[in-house]
Amino acid sequence: MIVNMSDSATEQQIEHIIQRIREAGFQPHVTRGTERTIVAAVGSGGRRHEIEALSVAPGVDTVVAIAQPFKLVSRQTRPQLSVVEVGAARVRIGGPEVVVIAGPCSVESREQLLETAHGVKRAGANMLRGGAYKPRTSPYEFQGLGVEALKILREARELTGLPVVTEVMSTEDVDLICEYADMLQVGARNMQNFALLRRLATIKKPILLKRGPSATVKEWLLAAEYLLSGGNDQVALCERGIKTFETATRNTFDLSAVALAKELSHLPVVADPSHGTGKQSLIGAVSRAAIAVGADAIIVEVHPCPERALSDGPQSLDLPQFERVMRGLSEPLRSVLTPSQMLA
Amino acid sequence: MIVNMSDSATEQQIEHIIQRIREAGFQPHVTRGTERTIVAAVGSGGRRHEIEALSVAPGVDTVVAIAQPFKLVSRQTRPQLSVVEVGAARVRIGGPEVVVIAGPCSVESREQLLETAHGVKRAGANMLRGGAYKPRTSPYEFQGLGVEALKILREARELTGLPVVTEVMSTEDVDLICEYADMLQVGARNMQNFALLRRLATIKKPILLKRGPSATVKEWLLAAEYLLSGGNDQVALCERGIKTFETATRNTFDLSAVALAKELSHLPVVADPSHGTGKQSLIGAVSRAAIAVGADAIIVEVHPCPERALSDGPQSLDLPQFERVMRGLSEPLRSVLTPSQMLA
Amino acid sequence: MIVNMSDSATEQQIEHIIQRIREAGFQPHVTRGTERTIVAAVGSGGRRHEIEALSVAPGVDTVVAIAQPFKLVSRQTRPQLSVVEVGAARVRIGGPEVVVIAGPCSVESREQLLETAHGVKRAGANMLRGGAYKPRTSPYEFQGLGVEALKILREARELTGLPVVTEVMSTEDVDLICEYADMLQVGARNMQNFALLRRLATIKKPILLKRGPSATVKEWLLAAEYLLSGGNDQVALCERGIKTFETATRNTFDLSAVALAKELSHLPVVADPSHGTGKQSLIGAVSRAAIAVGADAIIVEVHPCPERALSDGPQSLDLPQFERVMRGLSEPLRSVLTPSQMLA
Amino acid sequence: MIVNMSDSATEQQIEHIIQRIREAGFQPHVTRGTERTIVAAVGSGGRRHEIEALSVAPGVDTVVAIAQPFKLVSRQTRPQLSVVEVGAARVRIGGPEVVVIAGPCSVESREQLLETAHGVKRAGANMLRGGAYKPRTSPYEFQGLGVEALKILREARELTGLPVVTEVMSTEDVDLICEYADMLQVGARNMQNFALLRRLATIKKPILLKRGPSATVKEWLLAAEYLLSGGNDQVALCERGIKTFETATRNTFDLSAVALAKELSHLPVVADPSHGTGKQSLIGAVSRAAIAVGADAIIVEVHPCPERALSDGPQSLDLPQFERVMRGLSEPLRSVLTPSQMLA
């Protein structure tokens, strides 16, 4: 941490900062410039927030943090990449191959889910997604079938062998969902629901942690830090788009953040092109891009009849579309123009 | 709802949409243009999501919603402005006068809170704020004193008569907090924690509903709709800044949204200049602006010694600063240049 | 500037940075922490960009700038607030009174402009606005009447005595517009049109510099720095809203930025509630807020018949509405609830 | 266009709208719902802005545009994909192969540019980039070598055969730059410099049109529409990142927008991972993603010694890094987990 004094700071004010840095458990280190003085807080055992609060002490201009605030999720702490294993099938997210998770936004009925589960399996998916408890913007929208949906998901897993991931919205539902699902999803709107994160840190199931729509990569990693520091290191991050001024896509799919998260952290990263774009027609292209940029898995919404879906119809693929997207994933990248193709 | 067919839509595709609109409980109404056809879904009893999902039906270009999705919070439903009464003192948010809520970000100790409570009361505050359960970005930051803080808040209320508002982060804490606090705050990060909203809809205490950092005004009103539709209409909205590209202030304080929320809804609106700006030095000016734009209350962070605060020090006022801000609230607006002050 | 070495930086890498800081004209000052080393570049005569580029030198983690990059616009350089005088009437923006600038988005005809000019003068406006050259998103929209509009603006000034501000979009139009207008506006989309800024730095007319829709306050002040460093210090800044995820208003009107710009700079600040909100119904409230937060002037779009305006109709006031907004500016702020109004 | 009347609209107000729609050159088409009435403006020959302005007519709630506002750039107008040919080498952007454009941010010296040009050619680049006139946020930063840089670029083209693209910032420089460069770049900050666009519409050289940092895809396509409607259809769009709340990357690289632009328009699309991320270490991964998502070309900043670059050092690759990025472009996508790799 660096405390940057203002041009007009007095000796007494500088002295006060030096003393406060000592109180906070750091060593102060003063650099006097021609115009201004900076005081560094050196050491690793001190209390960071006490230094941050000095930004309002007299004579202080700004306080700048140097070190990253996360620890256990950091690749500096654990250089080896983590792999998250899901379900009895031991699907490995973060292994050499890309994992494809597919299924409807919401479980709407037994028929709908089983048809989808069989269909996505046939097309090559490795895991099944489906919402039982739905976070809906309006109280008048479909809120999910709850425990009935969980039972249907379990049946689908038994029939197809695909491990199941489903969202948990409340601490009170954690135990119940753990009985049925192989992986629990923290939705984007709950990324900073710290009560939920603390509870999920104590369970033995892997977590899919979606990035909040206005969360920076740093905040996202700190949310994961809640899980790891609480005892659960079976965590996969999931980029699903952030909220920006652009409304032509539902969110702005931040694929650079996938590469950045993998640079900063050892945790595997999943990409969600369905929420990332909100548009059926773009999902094939951005799924390929997500894999190219380094995502360890993609999670895609598929519905037997998107125009009849109770939620997220506009971004859901039907089964033939999903099959085409899957085939697209194995096509080579377009090649670069070579000198022989240019005029002399 | 309007279904806008693409230029190349066939008669059969238009016919399909007409039929689907009927199935969804609306009357279809077709307008054939020279280039394209639009089909309106007319009526109030139909299922909106079924029309929304038609955006992926063959031959459809886009689906546009016309009516606002919220009902009970709307000023069209209830033209008279609502007033929220808080505590035994019956402080009225939404009445003719502006309410000032002040206190520390977190309750840190009995001494700190009581000194603040007495100080803000002396300066003219009408309610006391103070966090017992803190939503912190990092698990390594101060997480609040919990029930101990609630007891201190209750004591402060007894000593000063100021009603108390404090944040609730989890459904599991609702009953406990209700025993101590006069108003429960839903924090910005929990604005779309629907499990929490549904639980708070069933209690008899007023709610302070903060706008999420990436929530549109529409989403904010729909979060309030969860409370009203569940049975609790004692709701005050709170604008506290949104997340944008600008980092010179902690958030971008959206004061137009205060005016807009009051135009769209009958609910009272509170403004939080502390989180809105994150900068001590700006709070006086933006508090005045918040009142000028129509806020029914302001909520301000005050700490006896901001540079020692365990959270939000940089945006907290000390007591003399808070007194100055309070005095500023009663100064007249700068006057407009008159012709006699211009050269002929 | 501070160069923050990575944890694994070698002595040789640190030595390289020290040497490069000397080459760039600064004194290096090394602080060795328990985990990492930082090297400060001390002094005021060095070349900042050479230090910035060190962020990619081996062993470097990040480079952090400490001092603000702007000079002449800074209040540290010139503590006294600047006043910009406009036209023969010597309207003073930045003086004790608030200036009101009003008029249509575009000059559409002689009748339209003269009716507006007389109307806004009668209601109390101090200056006239009107576009001759219009920056329109689509090439198929009305592009302005050009020199014909300039002549009409000059006539309106002669008839009303109101000084005139109009937008300049191109270096090639500068001389012509200078013949007719009293103040030249740089539009939001041209805030970083540096060729235009450099040209306007050489003229003797005052400039109204709008903030770009994605410009930070720092970038806005640096755009003004182009004008001052080039020789023109008759500059008023103008906040007109920034682009964010919120679409309920046309832009997000950043009123905190008005207060912040006045804290950082001596230049006067104008606020544009018309573009800031894009909604007729909000303009009265946010105009009051702009004055409360410290704006030295407001600039408002007024049209005799907004529903027939060739541009910006939805945000234009008609004359009776403008009169009401003007009356609202002199109403007192709502008062704060006093103890006697609370229950014992 | 659809005019959506408010619930309380009178018959007279509806009649007024019907008449105004006729005046604007459209056919009115009325749909009366149980709660509200909508009036569609049907036809293609009318004046859209007159309908837009009706949003402030009495009894009107909102006006909604249905058709896209751009024409010549639209794939509906010209279904066949366009190819832009650059220079004597006739490099085809939009052809079957991906084009790689590389070079320094700024031309700093003859040695620096020639070394880079030879290096990027050797590594497989097809075109050379280099700035002669630089749009810099601060007036105190390096502003480019101007015509001297143009001469050096021409020499580099002669020596390597690589066509040259360079930025034009002002209408006054257009003729000069046309003498030297093969393609003219409109920088992100000038995307809506309409005077510049109108001038460039009249020349015979291809244009690289960068997306503005706060431009929607629609605004970007409308900027291109200025070029096509003015007579120049040799236009390549360039995505370079948008400004969002995320500061871990310099911009948020909107790769979905590449796919979307190609869906909406026939113009080829270039992707700029250097500005898109601002981070050397991410460029390899996001370049691959850009190609996977459908970009026709990538444009990458390369400098012989990034830590000594006069601009954009932190995002520039050195030559060995660029070679590695080039090799990465031909590696296959990671493959999807197959059933045989899962447990039974």
Side-chain angles (χ1 to χ4, degrees), chain A residues 16 20 23 136 140 143 171-172 189 192-194 198 214 219 225-226 243 307-308 310, chain B residues 16 20 23 49 136 140 143 171-172 189 192-194 198 214 219 225-226 243 307-308:
Chain A
H16 173 67
R20 297 283 288 111
E23 285 174 34
R136 302 305 302 276
Y140 308 118
Q143 308 277 322
T171 51
E172 293 166 359
R189 297 179 179 98
Q192 292 189 316
N193 180 339
F194 300 114
R198 271 193 289 258
S214 62
E219 291 164 339
E225 189 85 17
Y226 267 89
K243 212 152 173 182
E307 70 162 270
R308 290 182 186 271
L310 297 184
Chain B
H16 174 67
R20 296 284 288 111
E23 285 174 34
H49 75 265
R136 302 306 302 276
Y140 307 118
Q143 308 276 323
T171 51
E172 294 166 359
R189 296 180 179 96
Q192 292 189 316
N193 180 337
F194 300 114
R198 271 194 286 258
S214 62
E219 290 164 339
E225 189 84 17
Y226 268 89
K243 212 151 173 183
E307 70 162 270
R308 289 181 187 271

Side-chain angles (χ1 to χ4, degrees), chain C residues 136 140 143 198 225-226, chain D residues 136 140 143 198 225-226:
Chain C
R136 303 305 302 277
Y140 307 118
Q143 308 276 322
R198 272 194 287 259
E225 188 84 16
Y226 268 89
Chain D
R136 302 306 302 276
Y140 307 119
Q143 307 277 323
R198 271 194 286 260
E225 189 84 17
Y226 268 89

Side-chain angles (χ1 to χ4, degrees), chain C residues 16 20 23 49 136 140 143 171-172 189 192-194 198 214 219 225-226 243 307-308, chain D residues 16 20 23 136 140 143 171-172 189 192-194 198 214 219 225-226 243 307-308 310:
Chain C
H16 173 67
R20 296 283 288 112
E23 284 174 34
H49 75 265
R136 303 305 302 277
Y140 307 118
Q143 308 276 322
T171 51
E172 293 167 359
R189 297 179 179 98
Q192 292 188 317
N193 179 338
F194 300 113
R198 272 194 287 259
S214 63
E219 290 164 339
E225 188 84 16
Y226 268 89
K243 212 152 173 183
E307 71 163 89
R308 290 182 186 271
Chain D
H16 173 67
R20 298 282 289 112
E23 284 174 35
R136 302 306 302 276
Y140 307 119
Q143 307 277 323
T171 52
E172 294 166 358
R189 297 178 179 98
Q192 291 188 317
N193 179 340
F194 300 113
R198 271 194 286 260
S214 63
E219 290 164 339
E225 189 84 17
Y226 268 89
K243 212 152 172 182
E307 71 162 270
R308 290 182 186 271
L310 297 184

